[in-house]
Amino acid sequence: MAVWIAPSILAADFAALGQEVDDVMAAGADAIHFDVMDNHYVPNLTVGPLVLRSLRSRGSCAPVDVHLMVRPVNRLIDDFLAAGADGITIHPDADEDPAGALAAIRAGGAKAGLAVNPDDSPDAVAPLLDAVDTVLVMSVRPGFGGQAFMPSALENVHVARELIDASGRNIRLAIDGGINQDTVGAAAAAGADGFVAGSAVFGAPNKAPRRAEDYRRAIAALRALAAGAANRRG
Ligand code: DX5
Ligand code: ZN
């Protein structure tokens, strides 16, 4: 099982976002996790497709996974596809037609993801497994970076892993929220193979200076701990 690590821009320095993206990719990240919040589905506001478009215009070809914490999702799916998203993950309760939204993501040539909130059961994704490339289990309530990992999410990872294995499909099982060196091993042992990490890679907000070498060390440590736990899982 290959370990996939995606730093979340939520903990990056937004005033230097292009450089931050370059730095974490050079430091060994597999993709960029692009958290989009609308002050409606979640009580926080971040960035939209224009910012992804700017990264692309600047020349960044990093794989970008957009995590849409917005309601509704349709219009923004089209805009993010046009802006150059490689993957888009939606929350199933954020739209009247999640199956249609997932189909639109794939039709636009991107990978389709479905998130599972901490209080929801992954069983809800079972009927949609044919339509998804990623299941994103949330280990915090969506809305803010830097929250504590919710251990109850491990059970959701475990259930999602069984559903994915039973489906025989090639679906990434990623976990998002509070992933750091203390929690990544338990997530991998429960069956996750993708790890979103904001503060554990970029550091605490306003902590200066941030150095590319720190990013390399943080990503390597998460990768090694996840791989070790996944191997023990067998
Ligand atoms: C939470 C976001 C997460 C979060 C991860 O709503 O979806 O991606 O930013 O940040 P950390 O790793 O700091 O919990
Ligand atoms: Zn996220």
Side-chain angles (χ1 to χ4, degrees), residues 33 35 67 69 176:
H33 182 86
D35 279 312
H67 179 189
M69 288 160 278
D176 182 11

Side-chain angles (χ1 to χ4, degrees), residues 8 10-11 33 35 37 67 69 138 140-147 176-179 196-200:
S8 159
L10 204 52
H33 182 86
D35 279 312
M37 305 185 182
H67 179 189
M69 288 160 278
M138 296 304 302
V140 297
R141 293 209 167 76
F144 297 92
Q147 301 182 72
D176 182 11
I179 290 295
V196 174
S199 10

Side-chain angles (χ1 to χ4, degrees), residues 18-225:
Q19 190 62 48
E20 293 274 63
V21 166
D22 291 351
D23 286 350
V24 283
M25 291 309 295
D30 295 296
I32 299 298
H33 182 86
F34 198 94
D35 279 312
V36 179
M37 305 185 182
D38 67 347
N39 191 36
H40 174 59
Y41 181 71
V42 292
N44 198 357
L45 185 65
T46 60
V47 292
L50 277 177
V51 175
L52 178 54
R53 193 183 291 277
S54 291
L55 288 172
R56 293 303 189 215
S57 316
R58 186 179 184 270
S60 174
C61 49
V64 171
D65 252 25
V66 174
H67 179 189
L68 282 186
M69 288 160 278
V70 305
R71 179 189 289 137
V73 296
N74 304 26
R75 158 89 186 279
L76 282 178
I77 286 174
D78 293 340
D79 291 351
F80 272 107
L81 287 169
D86 299 278
I88 302 179
T89 292
I90 62 162
H91 285 253
D93 56 340
D95 202 89
E96 279 167 14
D97 180 18
L102 292 167
I105 295 167
R106 277 192 171 166
K111 300 245 195 255
L114 203 54
V116 179
N117 277 335
D119 299 326
D120 292 345
S121 162
D123 290 330
V125 309
L128 293 168
L129 276 187
D130 281 354
V132 303
D133 304 290
T134 304
V135 173
L136 183 71
V137 170
M138 296 304 302
S139 37
V140 297
R141 293 209 167 76
F144 297 92
Q147 301 182 72
F149 180 82
M150 297 170 73
S152 59
L154 294 173
E155 178 59 18
N156 282 352
V157 172
H158 182 73
V159 172
R161 169 50 63 202
E162 290 194 331
L163 288 170
I164 289 170
D165 287 352
S167 78
R169 302 185 64 86
N170 181 22
I171 296 172
R172 172 169 293 128
L173 176 48
I175 186 162
D176 182 11
I179 290 295
N180 56 38
Q181 293 185 30
D182 296 329
T183 56
V184 71
D193 56 5
F195 305 88
V196 174
S199 10
V201 171
F202 287 107
N206 304 321
K207 186 205 80 179
R210 306 176 194 223
R211 295 176 19 242
E213 186 47 36
D214 297 332
Y215 297 167
R216 187 180 308 280
R217 217 174 294 123
I219 292 168
L222 292 174
R223 195 182 294 285
L225 288 163

